[in-house]
Amino acid sequence: MATMDLLLSPHSVLSVRLGGQRRADGGATEQWRRSAKVVTYPRYNTATKDGDLMLVKLLLPIRVTKRVEPLPLATECPAPGSVTVVPEEQCRRIYPGSITPNMVCAGESRNRADSCQGDSGGPLMCDGRLQGIVSWGPGVCGDPKKPGVYVNLCKYTQWIQDTMRRN
């Protein structure tokens, strides 16, 4: 998956689509909202992709449904092997000089499960909790030898909670 830098000011307006699984989805399960405010992580590094996350405050509340609901944040960092998380040392060997302690690699080599272009900002779920956010990866999706790279949210829990409280 290639990566795309999205540098926004706090006054940028985004359209957010919730509840659809594919681009062609629509109808009753899908909800569209506009952003009221965008807060990028203040120490995001465009060169290394370290800190590749932002929070979006919606202008209007969502309707909680079976397809649209808040995800609980992980309270601990993911343990390699407990899910599709690749050990950090292995990830560093695959992507020399590109992995920071704030990133986590994940993917399933047997069934080639992976994130892909267009998935950036999507969730990495582990044990029913939001563990990571799709950040970047190789140009070819589903390569069993090259997992996707995610923001390791356990490293940002305090910033997320503080930012949500202030906004």
Side-chain angles (χ1 to χ4, degrees):
M1 91 200 75
T3 186
M4 173 181 82
D5 285 331
L6 183 63
L7 299 176
L8 301 169
S9 77
H11 306 293
S12 297
V13 176
L14 296 176
S15 287
V16 179
R17 180 176 156 241
L18 305 110
Q21 289 185 305
R22 293 174 296 278
R23 289 182 194 255
D25 284 353
T29 64
E30 197 172 83
Q31 297 178 45
W32 285 89
R33 296 292 182 273
R34 295 187 78 163
S35 63
K37 187 173 189 180
V38 175
V39 183
T40 56
Y41 184 67
R43 291 185 296 282
Y44 172 55
N45 183 320
T46 58
T48 65
K49 305 295 180 237
D50 196 44
D52 186 13
L53 73 154
M54 72 170 135
L55 295 174
V56 178
K57 181 178 183 177
L58 301 177
L59 192 59
L60 297 172
I62 62 164
R63 281 186 333 276
V64 175
T65 67
K66 183 175 82 170
R67 299 273 298 270
V68 178
E69 60 183 313
L71 300 173
L73 277 176
T75 54
E76 298 177 355
C77 290
S82 63
V83 288
T84 59
V85 173
V86 175
E88 187 176 343
E89 312 77 53
Q90 181 182 348
C91 189
R92 287 179 186 278
R93 283 193 303 275
I94 295 168
Y95 300 114
S98 298
I99 302 300
T100 74
N102 300 317
M103 299 174 184
V104 63
C105 290
E108 178 55 57
S109 59
R110 285 170 286 161
N111 66 10
R112 302 175 84 115
D114 195 5
S115 51
C116 201
Q117 287 86 1
D119 292 340
S120 295
L124 171 65
M125 297 295 292
C126 301
D127 298 323
R129 295 190 167 275
L130 182 60
Q131 191 70 64
I133 299 172
V134 178
S135 183
W136 62 273
V140 177
C141 304
D143 183 335
K145 295 185 181 348
K146 294 195 174 194
V149 182
Y150 299 77
V151 174
N152 197 357
L153 282 182
C154 65
K155 307 288 184 160
Y156 299 94
T157 305
Q158 193 64 54
W159 177 78
I160 292 169
Q161 291 171 342
D162 291 347
T163 303
M164 288 176 64
R165 202 173 6 266
R166 283 193 311 269
N167 292 283

